[in-house]
Amino acid sequence: MKTEVDKIVSLSDGDQTVELQKYLSSLTDDQLITVITKSVLKGKNVGTTIKGIFKGSPSTSTEGSNRRLMLYQHCIPLCESGDLQTEVAADIIGLLMLETHTLSGPSLAQLASLFVEAIKMGKMGSGKSLELFPTVLTALAACEALSYGKGELSGDEYKKQLINSLCSSRWDPQCVIHLTTMFRDVPLSSEELYFLVEKVLRMFSKLDLQEIPPLVYQLLLLSAKGCKKQVLDGIICYFKEQDLRQEEEQKHGESLDLEVQSIPEDQLRHVEGTAILHIVFAIRLDHELGREFLKSFKVTSYGDLCPFSVALLLSVSRIQRYEEQVFELLKGAVIKSFKDEQLQQGSKFLQDLLLGHSGIAQMILDTVKNSVFGWDHVTQGLVQLGFFLMDTFGPKPGPFGKITEGSATVARTPTQLACKLGGQVLLQGFKMHEPIRGEILEQVLNRLVTKTASPVNHYLDLFSDIVVSAPMILLESSTKVTETFDHLSYLPLATVQGLLKAVQPLLKVSMSLKDALILVLRKAMFSSQLDGRKSAVTGFLLLLKNFRVLGSLSSSQCSQAVSSSQVQVDVHSRYNSAANEAFCLEILSSLRRCLGQQADVRLMLYEGFYDVLRRNSQLASSIMQTLFSQLRRYYEPEQDLLPPVKLEPCITAHGEQVYLQEPLAHLLSCTVHCLLWLQNMHRSANPNADDSDDDEEEEGYQSELQTILESMTRRMMKSELEDFELDKSAEFSMGSSVGVKNNIYAVLVMGVYEVLMEYNFIKANYSKSHFEELIELFTHYHKLSEILKEKSGKGRVPSSKTPRSLLSLGFVSTLLTVLFRDSTQSREDALSVLRSSGEFVRYAVNVAVQKIQQLEETGHTDGPDGQNADKTFSFLCDMTSVLMWRYTNIPSVVEDAGKKEKRCSLSLLCLEGLLRIFTTCQQRYPDKMAQLLSTMEISEDDAEPDDGNVTEINFFYIRQFQRALFTQLNRGEEEFNSKEAQLLVSILSALSRQLKPSSQQFVQMITWTVKICKETSFEDSAFCKGLLSLLFNLHVLYKTPVSLFLDLCRDIHSQLGDIDQDVEVEKQSHFAIVNMKTATTATLLVLSQIDKVLDEVDWLITRKKSQVASEKSGSEEATQTAGQQDPVEKAVTLQLGTLLTALNELVQTALLPGTCTITLLRELSRTYTILTTLVKYYIQVCASQHGGLPARVEKLVKLSGSHLTPQCYLFITYAQNGEFCGGGADDKKKKKRGEVNSAASAKLLRDTKAIPNLIFSIEQYEKYLITLSKKSKVNLMQYMKLSTSRDFRINAATLDAALQEQDDSQESQDAEETQEPKQKKRKQ
């Protein structure tokens, strides 16, 4: 055998071609095969042997060509067998490739079939010989003609057949990658490529997970030929399915305790990460691919996004040319997703039509979660996205610069939710990924420092979350925090407060951070900017609160210390407490300097000392002495002198201006509260205490302070207004310096009275004589406040609002309780003194309302405990129960007729207080609403509701207020108190927000509201507005409100009459609430609701359009018969049908010229625009699916054409003439009003483009109807009448009447002539 190989080699080398041919001919096929096999397996002389065989087999002779074919047929399986060394196999394939073009057509065809069969049988395991296949196919395609079956085919056609049969057959999963690689070298037409890509994508699910990335890579290379969109969609779709399966398994796995997962999560995530890398790499090299990728997302809205595609987009954003596009795309998707969600939540109609909503927010958060598995290429994009969302959707500055939003409100609007999402992404990213922490922190701090012109609450919240979640990590980059401290004195106060609150847990652990902060604060203390000094005070007070000195009484109320699970550092060790004490005293000495600064700075100090004392009671003596010495400066020690306070030093003048220098009342308030708290603590801490030196010292200043306060009380009661130079004749105008000085004095004196009232009430311990003194103090206070009110009312510009009351929220809550609910026998006498003063009672309720309002607007109140959310909430609960009791239990009948006026306002105040409490609670404490309601005590005659059931409790109060409103309405119109009824309606709508729309109580609420609207006929438009708004808001969550609109429009039509005065409208009244007086209000409300329904319909049509578009580009499966109509299309048609009928009623109504008419014209033109959108949708459907037009749509078109359009044109004529007649009114009064209105309405109509817009939208609608008629083969134009609206009109009847009038009297004609030009002028 060896000799045979040698002989072939030597003959070949010696160029003896003829002998070589003879020698090869002498060997049989089998012998030749054995020769080849042996040499191949040994791996020696393979190349030369094969070259020799080729040399001795000229392709021109039949024998030679057959021998060549046999060589191929034998070598290919040998290479696949896996017995050869890799290099040998590669050599063989290389040699065979070189000679392929010499094979004859039939040989090539046979060879190709051999490949196809091998692939079908799954024998192409190693895929080595597949490299040869493209060469074979290329050679085949070049052949002229080949016999195929009984006929002939050109080589190209033959190649097509082969590829077709190959893609249709079953592939062995092992060779999918090899085949994909192989096809890159095969010239393919676009159909063949499409067919092939489909086949490979179908194979994804059969492959092992580990084989997916290389296949993805090969597919992307293949996509250079075309089918880019298809390749990308297929890959994304595959991973989307895998993610869903993974999610399902996790859900069920938890319930079934299954250990086995079909795909381990970490493995799937790693594969996804690699696939993303491949795709991004491909996009970097092929920009066409990148364009296709982004285009596919723009066409289909966010609906097709999934965690994988979000991750892919974020990865692509690293490529600079796509960065902006990707973030814009994601921003649009996020905001659209939140808006759609809001739209669906707000409408039962949409909820019933469409199933759940896939939120993109969850996908983005999933991507953050998945990126833990080494997706470093995604994390950078996530950080950018987080900041992009927070920057774009964060709170904006209000008019004239900055507004500070009260923080801690719940995110409700789509923009707020998007901003919150950005924060969540960054927080999760910070927790999970070490490499990006530094960057996130740096960017957050940079924004806090640089964005001084707009609110930065969202960044402060994020920063404080980061501190709490990872304090130790933050300490590693504490230098960044220290750098931020350097800017403290230049930052807005709100930012400084938020920042210091956030870093507070770190200060306890890091000495260096604390030292840095103190240095900065000391510098700020001497800042030239007022804000800088305020920041210093804020910082120092915070430090005093949080560094407890050992031995401080730990009061249970103030366990607010923020301790994070990771920061367990004992701050109370021996060393620390001593250091803390020195540290705190040093800070106090710094703060004393502030007592010589502006009023604002002092004010901050007084408001902060109480909290410091409560948290750090060891500092009591220092604090009290500071306050005491400050108070002495303004106290008149001579007991006989009146008044007991010196007001002169409290003000300062600068040129013409007079300023407040010392907020005396706040100083007094702070001193009193600190004193009371200390006495309270001593009493509870040691009821039978031994006197120590320290205590004696404390007792000393405490008793001295008490003496001062008693003396002050006594002398303030004796003092008249003249003693303060404030009597009725004093000037209070804010224009002059005297007036300003008097105003400041008045406010200070009123404040002092209030503080003394609170102090004396607490000291009185329910003794009658003390309470009489208190009422005397109040009388002085009241007299002064009345003068202030009266004087400020006279001035052209009303002076500042009533000064904020200095009573603390806790005291107000106690006061209300004792005034209204305290029935203790022993206190009866003393309390009757307070209760008998109507003014005092009203004052107490007034202050309560004022405090609640402040809480609603800013999230906290002045005075002690104002910042403590839990305490504030408990005071709210107490006040709610008292106000509720007062309102429900004292009906007006009980009070005598003389006080009736007052009773109303007291009840109203209670109601206003309740309304404000409910709205505050929903905004600031949304989870605690049930707790608030369950603390309200229930009046005796009702059965107590079950505490467990929140809905029950809520509905119980709803019934209480319903009863109150019912009583109001039963009094008759003369007795009806509109303000009270409006407040009741507002409270009902606030409480009904807490009901679940699916609950039985909600249905009862709707039924009751409908009943009230149907039976109440009061002519009060404000009440009507409130009640109808409540009805609409409830109804939309229960079912679609269009039928309601129809009834209301009929009522409005019958009340206001028809535009044609000769037509008698049949009197019908579905809702008595609609009458002559309230019809205009009702019209505007109905129109605004119609607008919302049109929004929903528009949204649905747009949604359907995009579905049709994506079906069209995807597959042609969606065919629909005209018989069965899509539920969404059906719903849209029905909604529009009812709306058209309702609008048809309104268009015939003699509406008053002005807003009503204009709004109606606008809604009409919007309706036609939406009808046009619907028509365009059906044009699209008819074009793509060849389905007929549903009968319902035809009916809708008929309704619009035969009913609405003609009426619209009549209404336009009426609206244009509206300026000359008072809206179809006959009596003189109305005519007069018509004349007054006419000029205004004429101007309004000229200014707005409502009429031309309406005509344009009607004509557009008709234009597209013509197109639809052609497409659907249904004549829709038969229902349309051509308009004459643009034509020149002569109204014959009017002309006759005018001529008649002209003949009647010559004088009147002269008068006409003189008047005519005038009127024309007015029209211009």
Side-chain angles (χ1 to χ4, degrees):
M1 188 60 64
K2 187 173 181 189
T3 51
E4 288 161 2
V5 174
D6 290 344
K7 190 151 191 189
I8 292 174
V9 172
S10 64
L11 284 173
S12 153
D13 286 351
D15 280 346
Q16 297 160 339
T17 320
V18 183
E19 275 111 73
L20 183 57
Q21 284 180 7
K22 279 186 188 162
Y23 177 65
L24 286 175
S25 308
S26 66
L27 294 173
T28 61
D29 282 1
D30 291 345
Q31 283 172 317
L32 195 54
I33 286 172
T34 323
V35 170
I36 297 167
T37 313
K38 280 283 165 58
S39 90
V40 164
L41 288 176
K42 283 187 179 162
K44 284 177 188 167
N45 299 342
V46 185
T48 39
T49 311
I50 290 180
K51 273 183 198 160
I53 296 176
F54 275 133
K55 219 175 200 177
S57 317
S59 52
T60 46
S61 67
T62 320
E63 187 189 358
S65 123
N66 286 345
R67 198 176 301 133
R68 284 182 173 226
L69 178 60
M70 184 200 70
L71 180 63
Y72 275 89
Q73 285 171 333
H74 181 57
C75 283
I76 290 169
L78 260 181
C79 290
E80 280 306 313
S81 64
D83 301 337
L84 308 191
Q85 294 165 355
T86 330
E87 301 83 33
V88 176
D91 282 352
I92 295 173
I93 295 298
L95 284 168
L96 294 181
M97 244 183 226
L98 289 173
E99 295 289 335
T100 310
H101 63 280
T102 59
L103 290 174
S104 64
S107 309
L108 284 170
Q110 257 180 297
L111 200 48
S113 311
L114 170 87
F115 271 108
V116 174
E117 284 310 311
I119 292 168
K120 286 184 182 174
M121 305 295 289
K123 286 183 183 164
M124 287 287 169
S126 69
K128 296 253 171 41
S129 54
L130 274 176
E131 292 172 26
L132 190 54
F133 193 29
T135 327
V136 174
L137 287 176
T138 316
L140 245 184
C143 292
E144 299 269 323
L146 294 163
S147 59
Y148 180 79
K150 285 181 181 168
E152 274 194 351
L153 275 182
S154 71
D156 205 32
E157 281 299 316
Y158 193 83
K159 185 195 81 168
K160 266 191 189 158
Q161 292 293 343
L162 273 177
I163 291 177
N164 198 347
S165 96
L166 187 56
C167 291
S168 315
S169 60
R170 182 180 287 123
W171 288 3
D172 181 7
Q174 280 182 326
C175 63
V176 175
I177 296 175
H178 303 311
L179 284 167
T180 315
T181 319
M182 183 267 305
F183 271 113
R184 276 170 40 205
D185 301 327
V186 179
L188 296 168
S189 67
S190 52
E191 298 93 51
E192 289 168 348
L193 185 63
Y194 180 82
F195 198 37
L196 171 69
V197 171
E198 281 291 293
K199 172 70 183 170
V200 178
L201 290 172
R202 280 203 302 276
M203 291 302 296
F204 264 50
S205 51
K206 304 205 172 57
L207 287 185
D208 193 30
L209 199 59
Q210 295 306 330
E211 290 179 346
I212 297 291
L215 182 54
V216 166
Y217 180 70
Q218 292 302 337
L219 256 181
L220 289 165
L221 289 175
L222 185 64
S223 74
K225 290 169 177 271
C227 287
K228 296 182 185 343
K229 182 180 185 314
Q230 192 192 352
V231 168
L232 288 169
D233 286 354
I235 295 171
I236 291 171
C237 200
Y238 167 74
F239 283 116
K240 188 176 179 178
E241 281 165 21
Q242 296 304 316
D243 280 345
L244 285 173
R245 189 185 307 165
Q246 178 76 37
E247 210 175 302
E248 286 298 310
E249 277 182 17
Q250 274 178 347
K251 272 186 205 157
H252 297 312
E254 282 164 18
S255 55
L256 301 171
D257 300 328
L258 286 177
E259 286 300 311
V260 187
Q261 282 185 320
S262 60
I263 302 171
E265 188 183 6
D266 54 346
Q267 198 182 339
L268 175 63
R269 297 290 170 243
H270 285 307
V271 166
E272 287 181 342
T274 318
I276 290 175
L277 274 177
H278 284 326
I279 297 174
V280 175
F281 184 64
I283 287 177
R284 267 182 206 278
L285 298 175
D286 178 1
H287 290 307
E288 194 51 50
L289 187 66
R291 271 199 291 276
E292 274 299 328
F293 173 59
L294 289 175
K295 210 191 321 178
S296 67
F297 284 112
K298 280 176 191 158
V299 173
T300 64
S301 59
Y302 64 89
D304 287 359
L305 282 173
C306 60
F308 177 78
S309 54
V310 170
L312 183 52
L313 276 167
L314 289 171
S315 243
V316 170
S317 73
R318 300 280 300 281
I319 305 172
Q320 201 172 358
R321 67 186 291 169
Y322 300 122
E323 183 178 359
E324 201 177 322
Q325 280 169 287
V326 168
F327 287 124
E328 281 302 321
L329 197 147
L330 282 170
K331 177 184 92 172
V334 165
I335 199 76
K336 188 172 187 313
S337 163
F338 282 129
K339 277 181 179 163
D340 290 357
E341 203 168 343
Q342 198 180 34
L343 197 63
Q344 269 178 273
Q345 281 168 354
S347 157
K348 187 77 170 86
F349 165 64
L350 292 181
Q351 287 166 16
D352 290 345
L353 264 187
L354 305 167
L355 293 165
H357 173 84
S358 63
I360 190 174
Q362 197 47 51
M363 289 176 202
I364 293 177
L365 291 173
D366 282 347
T367 306
V368 181
K369 198 172 68 199
N370 298 344
S371 63
V372 180
F373 297 96
W375 290 7
D376 296 341
H377 43 91
V378 177
T379 46
Q380 198 52 48
L382 280 170
V383 175
Q384 274 177 285
L385 176 69
F387 281 114
F388 185 73
L389 290 176
M390 286 184 87
D391 289 342
T392 317
F393 299 117
K396 297 283 174 273
F400 311 113
K402 196 167 161 240
I403 46 159
T404 46
E405 280 192 358
S407 60
T409 48
V410 190
R412 285 197 174 86
T413 61
T415 41
Q416 286 172 332
L417 288 165
C419 175
K420 186 180 161 197
L421 173 67
Q424 285 172 313
V425 167
L426 290 171
L427 180 61
Q428 298 302 328
F430 187 89
K431 286 182 187 170
M432 289 176 183
H433 299 286
E434 202 172 323
I436 56 175
R437 280 177 191 153
E439 189 187 345
I440 291 180
L441 191 61
E442 195 169 339
Q443 291 216 38
V444 170
L445 292 172
N446 282 350
R447 281 168 168 76
L448 290 181
V449 174
T450 54
K451 287 187 180 277
T452 46
S454 51
V456 286
N457 308 343
H458 49 311
Y459 292 116
L460 284 170
D461 293 342
L462 172 62
F463 181 57
S464 94
D465 287 342
I466 287 176
V467 173
V468 173
S469 65
M472 287 329 233
I473 295 167
L474 221 71
L475 285 181
E476 291 164 17
S477 39
S478 58
T479 47
K480 288 189 179 124
V481 183
T482 353
E483 279 166 28
T484 312
F485 285 163
D486 293 339
H487 301 280
L488 274 191
S489 52
Y490 310 107
L491 294 181
L493 193 61
T495 308
V496 174
Q497 286 173 332
L499 184 65
L500 292 177
K501 242 186 209 140
V503 294
Q504 170 201 312
L506 299 178
L507 298 176
K508 294 190 174 181
V509 200
S510 161
M511 290 297 279
S512 59
L513 211 57
K514 184 175 83 174
D515 294 344
L517 178 62
I518 289 171
L519 275 174
V520 169
L521 291 177
R522 276 194 196 141
K523 274 186 207 158
M525 207 69 173
F526 299 100
S527 161
S528 56
Q529 303 293 323
L530 177 63
D531 257 8
R533 297 199 293 279
K534 281 187 179 177
S535 300
V537 174
T538 308
F540 278 142
L541 286 171
L542 242 164
L543 288 170
L544 283 179
K545 268 187 242 177
N546 289 305
F547 285 85
R548 301 270 302 277
V549 180
L550 197 75
S552 288
L553 300 160
S554 63
S555 60
S556 55
Q557 311 102 297
C558 53
S559 53
Q560 279 182 324
V562 180
S563 69
S564 156
S565 52
Q566 298 171 36
V567 182
Q568 289 299 339
V569 178
D570 184 13
V571 186
H572 304 273
S573 62
R574 223 349 112 215
Y575 158 74
N576 268 345
S577 65
N580 276 354
E581 186 161 12
F583 167 66
C584 290
L585 291 173
E586 187 188 343
I587 290 180
L588 271 174
S589 70
S590 290
L591 284 176
R592 282 198 193 103
R593 292 202 191 99
C594 298
L595 295 173
Q597 294 191 5
Q598 281 92 332
D600 284 3
V601 182
R602 299 184 193 192
L603 196 60
M604 290 190 72
L605 205 55
Y606 301 150
E607 288 188 343
F609 266 160
Y610 176 78
D611 274 345
V612 171
L613 188 66
R614 261 192 34 208
R615 303 283 295 272
N616 226 337
S617 56
Q618 279 297 298
L619 301 175
S621 65
S622 311
I623 290 179
M624 289 309 289
Q625 275 166 359
T626 307
L627 289 171
F628 192 32
S629 63
Q630 185 74 355
L631 186 61
R632 272 201 175 130
R633 292 184 190 175
Y634 306 98
Y635 172 67
E636 177 56 71
E638 280 295 327
Q639 294 297 320
D640 304 337
L641 283 182
L642 294 181
V645 286
K646 304 173 188 169
L647 293 179
E648 278 291 321
C650 291
I651 58 170
T652 176
H654 187 79
E656 289 287 297
Q657 300 281 330
V658 178
Y659 298 104
L660 170 69
Q661 178 72 27
E662 174 67 67
L664 178 63
H666 285 85
L667 167 62
L668 189 63
S669 164
C670 176
T671 317
V672 165
H673 283 302
C674 290
L675 179 68
L676 291 171
W677 187 81
L678 279 172
Q679 290 176 343
N680 224 352
M681 287 308 292
H682 279 295
R683 225 172 291 131
S684 52
N686 38 5
N688 41 2
D690 327 326
D691 280 355
S692 64
D693 299 345
D694 200 20
D695 280 0
E696 275 173 24
E697 180 198 332
E698 279 189 21
E699 288 301 320
Y701 68 73
Q702 285 190 14
S703 61
E704 202 173 332
L705 250 177
Q706 272 171 311
T707 320
I708 286 182
L709 288 168
E710 276 157 23
S711 149
M712 262 178 135
T713 306
R714 198 180 62 254
R715 287 190 278 164
M716 285 298 276
M717 286 192 302
K718 288 183 193 165
S719 303
E720 290 301 321
L721 292 181
E722 287 77 5
D723 297 324
F724 300 107
E725 302 168 22
L726 298 170
D727 55 0
K728 284 200 169 172
S729 57
E731 184 189 352
F732 284 99
S733 76
M734 297 304 276
S736 68
S737 54
V738 182
V740 173
K741 185 190 82 166
N742 286 343
N743 259 305
I744 293 177
Y745 278 2
V747 171
L748 286 177
V749 173
M750 282 161 69
V752 170
Y753 275 129
E754 285 194 309
V755 176
L756 291 174
M757 281 193 276
E758 181 164 349
Y759 174 72
N760 283 300
F761 178 88
I762 290 166
K763 281 287 168 205
N765 205 2
Y766 299 100
S767 89
K768 188 172 182 184
S769 58
H770 276 93
F771 276 178
E772 280 163 354
E773 288 176 6
L774 194 150
I775 289 293
E776 197 166 334
L777 283 170
F778 171 72
T779 316
H780 285 292
Y781 166 86
H782 187 63
K783 201 184 293 177
L784 184 52
S785 87
E786 286 299 304
I787 290 179
L788 256 187
K789 263 186 212 154
E790 185 186 322
K791 295 279 186 184
S792 67
K794 275 182 189 165
R796 276 172 309 166
V797 184
S799 69
S800 56
K801 294 183 296 187
T802 21
R804 274 200 191 145
S805 166
L806 283 179
L807 304 183
S808 64
L809 188 62
F811 171 63
V812 175
S813 142
T814 314
L815 189 58
L816 286 183
T817 313
V818 295
L819 283 176
F820 295 137
R821 301 295 314 262
D822 198 325
S823 50
T824 319
Q825 208 59 48
S826 54
R827 299 176 181 175
E828 198 66 45
D829 262 6
L831 287 175
S832 63
V833 175
L834 300 182
R835 287 173 182 162
S836 60
S837 160
E839 287 298 343
F840 183 69
V841 176
R842 179 175 297 84
Y843 161 74
V845 181
N846 243 324
V847 173
V849 174
Q850 185 195 26
K851 292 278 177 198
I852 298 163
Q853 186 175 356
Q854 193 191 353
L855 188 64
E856 181 183 1
E857 286 162 7
T858 61
H860 52 79
T861 61
D862 298 333
D865 293 326
Q867 304 276 351
N868 182 341
D870 297 336
K871 281 227 153 166
T872 315
F873 181 72
S874 72
F875 294 144
L876 269 190
C877 291
D878 298 343
M879 289 199 288
T880 314
S881 94
V882 175
L883 293 173
M884 183 74 193
W885 183 89
R886 170 72 183 71
Y887 180 73
T888 46
N889 282 36
I890 304 189
S892 49
V893 192
V894 176
E895 300 186 344
D896 24 326
K899 284 192 186 172
K900 195 170 212 179
E901 213 39 56
K902 299 280 164 75
R903 132 75 203 176
C904 281
S905 64
L906 240 194
S907 267
L908 273 182
L909 275 175
C910 290
L911 262 188
E912 192 184 340
L914 284 169
L915 174 59
R916 284 193 183 283
I917 287 176
F918 293 144
T919 49
T920 307
C921 191
Q922 278 172 345
Q923 270 184 3
R924 306 270 163 195
Y925 312 95
D927 327 334
K928 293 189 174 176
M929 194 70 188
Q931 192 182 333
L932 177 85
L933 291 173
S934 54
T935 52
M936 286 164 48
E937 289 171 29
I938 291 132
S939 52
E940 286 67 51
D941 56 342
D942 284 293
E944 296 233 349
D946 164 27
D947 269 0
N949 188 344
V950 182
T951 317
E952 276 299 321
I953 298 171
N954 195 358
F955 194 60
F956 172 82
Y957 289 106
I958 287 181
R959 279 206 304 272
Q960 298 269 64
F961 289 114
Q962 284 178 345
R963 212 169 297 158
L965 184 58
F966 203 66
T967 320
Q968 255 310 330
L969 297 175
N970 282 346
R971 284 182 179 174
E973 192 134 6
E974 301 73 42
E975 297 257 321
F976 175 66
N977 182 342
S978 168
K979 185 91 174 61
E980 187 172 342
Q982 285 169 49
L983 280 170
L984 282 168
V985 170
S986 303
I987 289 180
L988 283 170
S989 62
L991 288 177
S992 61
R993 277 185 219 125
Q994 301 296 113
L995 293 174
K996 288 192 183 71
S998 53
S999 65
Q1000 180 192 350
Q1001 285 87 345
F1002 190 82
V1003 180
Q1004 280 171 292
M1005 178 78 199
I1006 285 192
T1007 320
W1008 180 84
T1009 315
V1010 170
K1011 182 169 181 280
I1012 293 286
C1013 289
K1014 285 191 168 171
E1015 293 170 6
T1016 310
S1017 56
F1018 291 171
E1019 296 194 340
D1020 185 315
S1021 51
F1023 173 63
C1024 163
K1025 187 177 180 180
L1027 200 55
L1028 283 178
S1029 300
L1030 172 65
L1031 177 65
F1032 289 141
N1033 292 342
L1034 292 172
H1035 213 287
V1036 87
L1037 293 171
Y1038 175 59
K1039 63 175 187 195
T1040 170
V1042 283
S1043 51
L1044 200 66
F1045 300 159
L1046 187 54
D1047 290 347
L1048 280 163
C1049 291
R1050 284 180 177 147
D1051 289 353
I1052 293 166
H1053 190 183
S1054 80
Q1055 286 295 339
L1056 290 178
D1058 198 273
I1059 49 176
D1060 182 350
Q1061 291 170 23
D1062 307 334
V1063 174
E1064 185 64 41
V1065 186
E1066 69 168 294
K1067 282 285 174 205
Q1068 44 179 323
S1069 178
H1070 303 88
F1071 291 95
I1073 192 95
V1074 178
N1075 47 46
M1076 274 308 288
K1077 236 343 190 359
T1078 60
T1080 309
T1081 312
T1083 310
L1084 286 169
L1085 265 177
V1086 170
L1087 286 172
S1088 74
Q1089 289 299 321
I1090 285 180
D1091 196 49
K1092 285 183 186 164
V1093 175
L1094 287 174
D1095 278 342
E1096 290 172 10
V1097 170
D1098 196 14
W1099 183 77
L1100 282 172
I1101 299 174
T1102 317
R1103 205 181 150 96
K1104 286 300 292 176
K1105 274 177 93 168
S1106 67
Q1107 275 177 11
V1108 169
S1110 58
E1111 278 167 11
K1112 195 168 163 188
S1113 63
S1115 60
E1116 301 296 320
E1117 291 160 19
T1119 46
Q1120 235 181 22
T1121 53
Q1124 57 167 85
Q1125 200 184 353
D1126 176 87
V1128 176
E1129 290 178 21
K1130 178 180 169 186
V1132 164
T1133 321
L1134 290 175
Q1135 288 285 79
L1136 281 173
T1138 321
L1139 279 185
L1140 290 183
T1141 320
L1143 286 168
N1144 187 33
E1145 288 286 337
L1146 278 185
V1147 168
Q1148 296 174 52
T1149 309
L1151 293 174
L1152 291 178
T1155 331
C1156 255
T1157 311
I1158 303 263
T1159 316
L1160 177 58
L1161 289 168
R1162 275 202 204 116
E1163 287 314 313
L1164 284 168
S1165 87
R1166 180 135 197 250
T1167 310
Y1168 277 108
T1169 312
I1170 285 172
L1171 281 170
T1172 312
T1173 318
L1174 186 67
V1175 168
K1176 284 180 184 170
Y1177 165 71
Y1178 277 110
I1179 292 175
Q1180 200 180 347
V1181 171
C1182 289
S1184 64
Q1185 295 173 4
H1186 318 295
L1189 199 64
R1192 273 200 190 86
V1193 179
E1194 209 175 321
K1195 271 187 198 159
L1196 183 69
V1197 173
K1198 182 178 180 182
L1199 185 66
S1200 69
S1202 53
H1203 286 62
L1204 191 58
T1205 313
Q1207 289 298 342
C1208 280
Y1209 287 128
L1210 289 174
F1211 186 75
I1212 290 172
T1213 312
Y1214 163 78
Q1216 285 171 326
N1217 298 343
E1219 49 207 85
F1220 305 118
C1221 69
D1226 298 333
D1227 49 6
K1228 282 180 188 171
K1229 213 182 199 175
K1230 288 255 167 91
K1231 275 197 174 149
K1232 214 180 230 172
R1233 184 168 64 181
E1235 280 158 26
V1236 176
N1237 272 347
S1238 65
S1241 65
K1243 184 174 183 307
L1244 244 174
L1245 276 168
R1246 269 199 304 278
D1247 288 350
T1248 60
K1249 299 175 181 167
I1251 293 179
N1253 281 349
L1254 173 57
I1255 293 174
F1256 175 72
S1257 36
I1258 294 177
E1259 290 176 355
Q1260 280 294 94
Y1261 171 54
E1262 290 173 359
K1263 171 184 154 188
Y1264 281 101
L1265 271 180
I1266 296 172
T1267 316
L1268 182 60
S1269 301
K1270 288 175 188 164
K1271 292 266 185 207
S1272 64
K1273 314 282 190 295
V1274 178
N1275 178 14
L1276 296 170
M1277 292 309 289
Q1278 62 187 4
Y1279 309 118
M1280 298 291 151
K1281 295 177 179 56
L1282 279 179
S1283 80
T1284 54
S1285 193
R1286 289 173 183 254
D1287 303 351
F1288 179 70
R1289 292 190 295 265
I1290 296 177
N1291 189 330
T1294 321
L1295 192 64
D1296 287 347
L1299 289 170
Q1300 188 70 41
E1301 210 169 285
Q1302 205 170 27
D1303 296 344
D1304 278 358
S1305 77
Q1306 187 59 41
E1307 301 110 62
S1308 77
Q1309 194 243 357
D1310 288 345
E1312 282 288 326
E1313 272 177 21
T1314 51
Q1315 203 179 350
E1316 189 65 19
K1318 262 190 200 169
Q1319 205 167 9
K1320 275 193 174 154
K1321 245 181 208 168
R1322 198 191 66 209
K1323 270 187 79 175
Q1324 286 166 357

